[in-house]
Amino acid sequence: MSENINPLTIEEVAEECRNCKKCPLYLARTTVVPGEGNSKAKVLFIGEAPGEDEDLQGKPFVGKAGQLLTKILQSIDIKREDIFITNMVKCRPPANRTPSKSEIDTCYPYLETQIALINPKIIVTLGNVPTQYLLETTQGITTLRGQWQDWIGKIKIFPMFHPSYLLRNEGTFPGSPKELTWKDVKTLKKAMAGL
C-alpha cells in the first residue's frame, strides 16, 4: 500500500466494510463493526472481533469488556473519542469464536487502510489475536504484554491483555492480570504524553 496516496476516508472504509461479502462471516452478522473514534488519533486500539453487543450496536467494545476498556482509559484520563478503536475482523464470528486466519487475512486490507489513513504513532493490540498477527509471532500475550515492539515505519506496537481476559481473571494480587494492566496503561500514558 502506498503511504501517501490513498483516496479513501475512514467513513469510506467503513462503508466498504458494511457492503463486504468476501468471507462467510457476513452470513451471520447483524451489523458490521468497522471501528470508531478519532480518525487522526495518535493511538489505535485493535481487538480481535466484535462480540454480540457490538454486532447488535455496530460499535466496537460496547459490551462488558468494552465498558471495562473505557474505565481503564478513564483511569489515565484518555477519552474514547481521542483514540480510534477497531478489530482485526469487522463481523462477529458465530458464538464469539476466535476468527480464523483466513477470515483475518480476508479482512486485513480494511484494517491496513485504516492504519494508513489514521497514521497512528502507537498501536495497542488487545490480546493474542492482533498481537500475534501483526507481529507475525507465536509468542503469547502473557510474554509480550507491556513490551514495546517496532512495527512498520515509525509505528510502535504495545501489546496489552484484552479486557475480556481481565473479566475472566478478576483477582487483584501481585502479578495479577489487573495489576499488570494497570502498570501497562501507566506506561502507555507516559508514552502518549511524549507524542
Side-chain angles (χ1 to χ4, degrees):
M1 183 182 345
S2 171
E3 277 187 39
N4 298 322
I5 303 168
N6 200 322
L8 295 172
T9 64
I10 283 294
E11 189 44 51
E12 286 171 329
V13 177
E15 195 56 35
E16 280 195 13
C17 292
R18 289 183 194 106
N19 295 319
C20 183
K21 295 181 179 178
K22 293 178 184 172
C23 87
L25 290 181
Y26 89 91
L27 293 166
R29 73 184 180 214
T30 304
T31 314
V32 175
V33 187
E36 69 176 6
N38 181 348
S39 63
K40 300 293 178 199
K42 290 184 166 58
V43 182
L44 171 64
F45 281 72
I46 304 174
E48 69 176 52
E52 183 178 12
D53 292 310
E54 291 75 18
D55 180 56
L56 292 171
Q57 295 183 44
K59 296 181 174 208
F61 285 90
V62 291
K64 285 184 182 176
Q67 291 164 22
L68 178 57
L69 177 62
T70 299
K71 286 179 187 170
I72 290 167
L73 295 173
Q74 288 171 342
S75 76
I76 54 168
D77 297 319
I78 296 174
K79 295 182 183 123
R80 279 181 64 127
E81 53 265 28
D82 294 336
I83 60 171
F84 196 90
I85 305 175
T86 190
N87 285 293
M88 295 301 295
V89 298
K90 313 305 186 188
C91 298
R92 178 191 180 201
N96 288 354
R97 68 162 168 76
T98 301
S100 69
K101 183 166 188 316
S102 68
E103 290 163 350
I104 295 171
D105 287 343
T106 301
C107 209
Y108 185 67
Y110 297 127
L111 178 61
E112 192 176 33
T113 303
Q114 288 175 318
I115 292 168
L117 289 168
I118 295 165
N119 193 24
K121 303 287 184 223
I122 297 169
I123 292 176
V124 178
T125 52
L126 297 169
N128 273 325
V129 172
T131 302
Q132 291 175 335
Y133 190 90
L134 295 180
L135 295 177
E136 297 177 4
T137 183
T138 56
Q139 284 189 295
I141 192 67
T142 51
T143 303
L144 294 170
R145 58 132 288 276
Q147 297 178 39
W148 292 102
Q149 307 285 335
D150 289 320
W151 199 54
I152 298 168
K154 296 178 180 174
I155 299 174
K156 299 269 191 194
I157 286 184
F158 190 67
M160 287 177 49
F161 288 128
H162 194 287
S164 63
Y165 178 76
L166 301 179
L167 290 172
R168 292 192 305 269
N169 297 273
E170 292 215 42
T172 305
F173 50 87
S176 70
K178 280 194 174 176
E179 184 186 271
L180 294 173
T181 296
W182 176 239
K183 181 180 172 187
D184 291 346
V185 293
K186 288 193 288 186
T187 300
L188 175 64
K189 175 68 173 178
K190 187 175 178 184
M192 289 176 69
L195 296 176

